[in-house]
Amino acid sequence: MAKDKAEDKVEEVAPDAAAAPAQAQLQQTLIVDDSNISAGYANFCRVSSTPEELILDLGLNPNPYAQGEVRVPVNQRIIMNHFTAKRLLQALNMALARHEQAFGVLETDVRRRVRR
């Protein structure tokens, strides 16, 4: 990876000269490097778990209303520990709550969304 691109950085702030070393506070600054990002779209998600990890398989179901056997190609697999999964859950809950506050409740049951 090229060094001239933005990279994740950790920055330490020196304690005040009058402050005791035990009271020194460290500040972390994260810079997200998305120069090599690969974007994808998923309308299918399978969640599985081991005692150490949570696994998200993401894919595109080309015909979500098809009958019978449907093959869904999984294009992305995200593996994380359960602590990161819980933080992701909290972040998604906050993002969805903001969206619903602005645009209304998202109904996930397709049958309830159909207008008659």
Side-chain angles (χ1 to χ4, degrees), residues 38-51:
S38 173
Y41 175 80
N43 65 357
F44 169 84
C45 180
R46 177 178 60 187
V47 180
S48 54
S49 182
T50 70

Side-chain angles (χ1 to χ4, degrees), residues 47-87:
V47 180
S48 54
S49 182
T50 70
E52 293 85 22
E53 300 166 331
L54 187 101
I55 302 159
L56 299 177
D57 287 334
L58 304 171
L60 180 62
N61 184 350
N63 192 353
Y65 304 110
Q67 300 294 317
E69 185 175 302
V70 177
R71 182 174 301 271
V72 178
V74 172
N75 300 323
Q76 296 120 10
R77 175 169 286 157
I78 308 298
I79 304 168
M80 64 188 85
N81 63 50
H82 289 91
F83 297 100
T84 300
K86 189 166 187 176
R87 287 190 293 271

Side-chain angles (χ1 to χ4, degrees), residues 8-28:
D8 290 345
K9 296 181 181 179
V10 176
E11 187 176 296
E12 292 185 14
V13 176
D16 188 309
Q23 296 175 345
Q25 293 188 10
L26 297 178
Q27 180 179 348
Q28 184 181 55

Side-chain angles (χ1 to χ4, degrees), residues 1 14 20 32 43 48 55 62 79 87 92 100 112 114 116:
M1 187 157 104
V32 177
N43 65 357
S48 54
I55 302 159
I79 304 168
R87 287 190 293 271
L92 289 172
E100 288 185 330
R112 291 184 181 176
V114 175
R116 295 172 196 239

